[in-house]
Amino acid sequence: MSSGDDQQSQTLAKPTFSEVQASALVESVFGLKVSKIQPLPSYDDQNFHVYISRTKDSTDGPTEYVLKISNTEASKHPDLIEVQSHIIMFLKAAGFPTASVCRTKGDNTTSLVSVDSGSETKSYLVRLLTYLPGRPIAEVPVSPRLLYEIGRLAARLDKTLEKFHHPKLNILHRENFIWNLKNVPLLEKYLYALGENRSQKIVEQVIQLFKEEVMTKLSHFRQCINHGDLNDHNILIESSKSACGDAEYQVSGILDFDDMSYGYYVFEVAIAIMYMMIESKNPIQVGGHVLAGFESIIPLTAVERGALFLLVCSRFCQSLVIDAHYCQLYPENKDYLMITAKTGWKHLQQMFDMGQKAVEEIWFETAKSCECGISM
């Protein structure tokens, strides 16, 4: 989603490169000849699907790429984007289905380009990644088996990143980063975007509960590096035939590492549960299957499990409030920004109406059944 910090909404400018300008960037910065280019949906950056032409000197290798142009605020933090790029490369080397990071003609992972708009000069960081084929999870019915695998994926990512080292790694301590779950209280300044209604009241309750029941327990959570945005559009899948002849899905790609930051194991599973609920016809059941997969790699402690319900509610609030805020900034991008809101408010309301004890009972019993091979 977004790669800046809390102040970004006042200062960032979303890139507005034309397809012709984007093609020129690919050729001038990365030395590749573009045969076709088309825009991809994005939050506050700009992405393009790029097809390149073969030359006499390049008869093999990929022909499809994604050009990523960061907004002006994110572009002020090249060290952060460098660390993210090295994480992508590290995970790929470890066997995860991430993209490859392409080098510029100067052998860097990024390039800063300046554009004179007449009244001012704006600078944007550009990157080029290989294009990952596959369908986002949002487009298919999600089975308990696939939800279990998503939970395992989330845990494997965090576990693997324990071994990642980089001289600038501390930059992932993003204290005012609005998308880090520990910063839920920062939502208070954006509540105006909801208006005076029941939705605002629910968010206010969640923020207050978060202050009382989560912030006081953060020291008891185990810290790690989080991907931070394993949503239903950032996980790609491909189908294969099972032994029975039925279609099965497996993860074929992991996208968007822009929200990476230091967090906690329980944050990652809470975020995954919330986003897997979005498209589900049985959203409350989702949590147990994802939790079972996660705990097959990293079992949660009692304190972490006790915070899970409120953390899922909190991530719903983050997404719904920030999306509403961004809709006011970029009304032309409303369809993309409001994906979560289509079902998110309904799911959050259902969780609140049922209450923590009832939801936890379903999650924990479902997770226990998965461990025993039931419901899978």
Side-chain angles (χ1 to χ4, degrees), residues 156-182:
R156 286 176 53 232
L157 275 173
D158 288 2
K159 196 76 175 172
T160 301
L161 287 173
E162 292 176 2
K163 303 180 181 70
F164 178 76
H165 300 286
H166 191 280
K168 300 171 183 175
L169 189 58
N170 279 342
I171 204 165
L172 291 182
H173 288 286
R174 304 165 71 179
E175 293 305 316
N176 293 315
F177 183 46
I178 191 67
W179 287 105
N180 190 308
L181 258 177
K182 71 178 179 181

Side-chain angles (χ1 to χ4, degrees), residues 126-189:
V126 298
R127 292 171 282 168
L128 194 69
L129 306 176
T130 52
Y131 180 82
L132 294 176
R135 300 170 65 189
I137 281 187
E139 294 182 1
V140 302
V142 182
S143 67
R145 169 64 66 183
L146 186 54
L147 291 169
Y148 182 89
E149 292 304 324
I150 297 307
R152 281 181 59 84
L153 173 68
R156 286 176 53 232
L157 275 173
D158 288 2
K159 196 76 175 172
T160 301
L161 287 173
E162 292 176 2
K163 303 180 181 70
F164 178 76
H165 300 286
H166 191 280
K168 300 171 183 175
L169 189 58
N170 279 342
I171 204 165
L172 291 182
H173 288 286
R174 304 165 71 179
E175 293 305 316
N176 293 315
F177 183 46
I178 191 67
W179 287 105
N180 190 308
L181 258 177
K182 71 178 179 181
N183 290 327
V184 166
L186 294 179
L187 295 178
E188 289 177 328
K189 65 178 67 178

Side-chain angles (χ1 to χ4, degrees), residues 23 33 35 47 53 77 103 109 115 128 218 236-237 244 249 267 301 322 343-344:
S23 293
K33 181 67 176 176
S35 62
N47 300 328
S53 303
H77 305 280
R103 296 280 179 172
T109 58
V115 177
L128 194 69
L218 286 176
L236 303 178
I237 55 173
C244 308
Y249 295 100
F267 282 11
T301 65
I322 299 170
T343 58

Side-chain angles (χ1 to χ4, degrees), residues 15-66:
T16 56
F17 283 72
S18 68
E19 293 176 15
V20 172
Q21 290 173 317
S23 293
L25 275 181
V26 174
E27 296 183 16
S28 63
V29 175
F30 299 96
L32 298 173
K33 181 67 176 176
V34 176
S35 62
K36 180 183 175 183
I37 191 167
Q38 55 194 42
L40 291 169
S42 59
Y43 203 81
D44 52 15
D45 298 323
Q46 195 175 19
N47 300 328
F48 290 91
H49 187 176
V50 180
Y51 301 80
I52 67 160
S53 303
R54 292 285 189 210
T55 66
K56 294 179 180 178
D57 299 326
S58 61
T59 56
D60 56 6
T63 58
E64 295 181 58
Y65 296 85
V66 173

Side-chain angles (χ1 to χ4, degrees), residues 183-246:
N183 290 327
V184 166
L186 294 179
L187 295 178
E188 289 177 328
K189 65 178 67 178
Y190 302 113
L191 288 177
Y192 72 90
L194 300 179
E196 295 284 344
N197 53 38
R198 190 181 184 192
S199 298
Q200 187 186 80
K201 298 300 181 186
I202 292 176
V203 175
E204 288 173 343
Q205 282 182 267
V206 172
I207 293 173
Q208 187 58 39
L209 288 169
F210 186 92
K211 291 177 180 178
E212 297 169 358
E213 300 180 20
V214 174
M215 293 189 73
T216 56
K217 297 174 183 173
L218 286 176
S219 62
H220 298 286
F221 298 164
R222 292 166 295 166
Q223 193 177 60
C224 66
I225 297 172
N226 290 148
H227 175 281
D229 196 16
L230 288 175
N231 70 48
D232 48 333
H233 288 268
N234 284 342
I235 302 174
L236 303 178
I237 55 173
E238 59 185 8
S239 62
S240 60
K241 292 290 184 180
S242 68
C244 308
D246 298 326

